Amino acid sequence: MAMWQPEENGLRQILQLLKESQSPDTETQRAVQQKLGELNNYPDFNNYLIFALTKLTTEDDPTRSLSGLILKNNVRAHFERFPPEVTTFIKQECLNSIGDPSALIRATIGIIITNIISKGELHNWPEVLPHLCACLDSEDYNVCEGAFGALQKICEDNAETLDNDMADRPLNVLIPKFLNFFRHQSPKIRSHAIACVNQFIISRTQALMVHIDMFIQNLFFLAKDDDTEVRKNVCRALVMLVEVRIDRLMPHIDQIIQYMMERTQDADDTVALESCEFWLSLAEQKVCKDVLSPHIERLVPILVKGMKYSEIDIILLKGDVEEDEMIPDKESDIKPRFHKSRTHSNQKHDDGEEGDSDEGYDDDDSLSDWNLRKCSAAALDVLANVFHEEILPILLPILKETLFHNVWEVKESGILVLGAIAEGCMSGMVPHLPELIPYLISCLGDKKALVRSITCWTLSRYAHWVVGQPHDNFLKPLMTELLKRVLDGNKRVQEAACSAFATLEEEACTELVPYLAFILETLVFAFGKYQHKNLLILYDAIGTLADSVGHHLNKPEYVNMLMPPLIEKWNLLKDEDKDLFPLLECLSSVATALQSGFLPYCQPVYQRCVCLVDQTLTQNFANMSQPDQYDPPDKDFMIVALDLLSGLAEGLEGHIEDLVANSSILKLLYQCMQDPMPEVRQSSFALLGDLTKACFQHVRPCISNFMPILGANLNPEFISVCNNATWAIGEISIKMGADMQPFVCMVLNQLIDIINRSNTPKTLLENTAITIGRLGLVCPQDVAPLLQQFIRQWCTSLRNIRDNEEKDSAFRGVCLMIGVNPGGVVQDFIFFCDAVASWSHPKPDLKEMFFKILHGFKSQVGEENWTKFSDQFPQPLKERLIANYGV
């Protein structure tokens, strides 16, 4: 067949289009987009595009490259609709022109090739890899570089496809081939070769693992390379090898550590950053302490040096701008927020839910790119957690020098160091804190905004210690100064102070009650002062305050200060505004804390939440039935609204009854409970439990519809959904009493499975045990026959929780079940004794139940056997049972 040739007129049109698409004018751009849409209807339009890219040497490179990028977008959008002859022509042109003299054109062709392969076309294009491989051996640099560039992109985008190709096993050929080019005379080629191999380290690809020693030898050979890209790729490889094949690095580990310390100080920032990651990876290895001990004295000062702001950082951060509070935020500066749905746990504060370890190292949004400063600080933090006090002798002299330095950049880095080591070196730092904390509090008044902001963060890292000292010594001065910073003239300082204050609130909890008026005055004043981004952080600080002080917030003067500005914001926001998320979360905490104090505000809040749920469900239904006409909704609106309704139900209890009676919330809840998205179900079951406690008369008519759904959600794959469903079943049982009987069979076997599974999280175990106990309390005849299947796990999961109502009802249930089926507990009686002894102050009638069971068992087995049995008890258990129950 004859080669395809373009027509003059078609070519002219396309060139015109390419020229226009480089215009900055939006009208022209819109016309270009429309024209592209029309041209896409011509089957050979894509032939023109590849022709312009590879053949049209009369045009400049950017124009030709643009033609290729439009083609790449078409490949992504509808490659499967290209006619076969077009596909063949494009593939052929790509391979023929891979050695174009222009680097830009070569790179563009590489992008098109990898996009075609990403479309699953490796099996329909068997010649592509052999062809590119053969090009690597070309004498012509352009051909070799073009092919390598394409292969690097293919390895980056399709590593898994290449590894899974069982038929041809291309990597068995490619990887040895790449390794041969590590010593090529061109740095660009060396760099491509390492980058290609690097794609296969983390997945432990077999074809690389068989050559691992040769790979490592080649890396060592390139260690001193002059080219920064080559050095960067060598460092990247070593960072990954620490993670997956530290065994192969061990023979050379000392040289590697010395090398990585030099590279962490590389003149090129990007190389230094890649190398600094090495310390983060090494810290996760068991051998870290052994292999780093000989080097730690040299490494720590290197990391500290990397923690200083570079000049470019300061320019980017506008470090010389001290006051910017009047300047509105750019929308692009505001990161998306993620809502964390409600989880019901027995103790109000979940302990397993600590934040990320690198908190605070990713604080500057305008610099939210990871950089050497953050990486060095994170590395010092993780190493402090490996070495603990042992690094203080190295650090203390450095801290003495930097913290009091008169150059502000040095002083700032010293304060960052102090914050970074807070977690790992806390016990070694304690003797120094009585003088350091007042010094840091004085730094909150520093004239440089960047010093004030980092000081907020570092102080928050020591909040736990501060709260444990007499208030007048540190807590009061810290709170006073931190609140001044909340009203700072600089936005970065406001943000840091607000976040630090939220941490202080979590640590101090009710210790803050005496200072509430002062705290609220400041936070409310900030409402009128803050720009958009910091408002969102302020909501969080207020929500955390409410969580921390609870019902102490419910005083008329506090309510009157706090609620008007919150409600004012609430009225300003439209239903589709994402700023509702943090505000609803904040109101949820406030409503739970204020309880009846929230009543004057609850009706509009309640109605809007129901409305948000209704709108989301309606939009979801529209999208499901006509996806081409309606976009899917953002379900976060519904999740946050359900969570605020839970907060209202928990705070207002019976007062919410009127609102529920006059709304369709239960109908909506029935739909939400069946949503495919786990977070929606999680929040639905939390609300169901809270409504059951607050106004069961409205829930009761729906129970026969709700119970099968609850039973179907007892799937521990979705921990939080399962947890909240379990808790709701327990609350429903208490209200249903003996009427629960027909529903027990829907849930009991799943609950017993969950309690017996290995590695079930603590909160879920506790909730499961409580719900089984509560089912036994209301339907002992139905649950008692299975006692033996769960009693041991039941006892061990509840022995560690504090006395509370939920624990009380669950233990009553187990006592009733033992009455029905005493044989079910015999083999595990020691666990029951231990669980009984875990109570500090059981109510008198519950204590009486324990007494009867213990003495009944003792008289059943006889004095002698009881003595033998109780001799196995640990001493404290024996003593508690004798003291409390006389057995």
Side-chain angles (χ1 to χ4, degrees), residues 26 139 151-152 193 198 251 258 314 341 376-377 440 462 464 507 525 580 607 617 695 700 761 784 801 868 870:
T26 38
E139 292 296 302
L151 282 164
Q152 180 178 336
N198 281 356
Q258 282 166 353
I314 293 170
S341 309
S376 305
L440 286 172
Y462 291 96
H464 183 76
E507 289 293 348
F525 190 76
L580 273 175
Q607 281 168 342
L617 287 171
C695 53
R700 190 171 194 133
I801 71 168
K868 264 192 216 153
S870 60

Side-chain angles (χ1 to χ4, degrees), residues 198-217:
N198 281 356
Q199 299 306 317
F200 302 100
I201 300 176
I202 292 293
S203 57
R204 299 183 168 82
T205 300
Q206 195 45 44
L208 173 58
M209 291 302 139
V210 294
H211 298 291
I212 196 81
D213 290 322
M214 181 185 167
F215 175 45
I216 291 171
Q217 284 312 317

Side-chain angles (χ1 to χ4, degrees), residues 215-231:
F215 175 45
I216 291 171
Q217 284 312 317
N218 275 342
L219 287 173
F220 289 166
F221 176 78
L222 294 175
K224 295 278 187 262
D225 206 285
D226 298 335
D227 184 81
T228 51
E229 275 307 305
V230 173
R231 289 203 306 275

Side-chain angles (χ1 to χ4, degrees), residues 860-873:
Q860 198 73 37
V861 298
E863 193 68 50
E864 190 182 342
N865 284 333
W866 174 262
T867 308
K868 264 192 216 153
F869 173 67
S870 60
D871 280 345
Q872 308 161 28
F873 291 179

Side-chain angles (χ1 to χ4, degrees), residues 86 118 272 382 687 829:
V86 172
S118 294
V382 292
L687 176 55
F829 199 70

Side-chain angles (χ1 to χ4, degrees), residues 288-324:
C288 177
K289 196 164 182 184
D290 298 340
V291 297
L292 259 190
S293 285
H295 307 278
I296 193 79
E297 284 195 28
R298 277 190 56 212
L299 175 59
V300 166
I302 293 172
L303 294 175
V304 171
K305 210 166 78 187
M307 288 162 76
K308 200 167 117 236
Y309 275 126
S310 66
E311 286 173 36
I312 189 97
D313 289 342
I314 293 170
I315 294 165
L316 288 171
L317 284 171
K318 307 194 175 59
D320 50 350
V321 177
E322 295 303 323
E323 280 212 20
D324 59 359

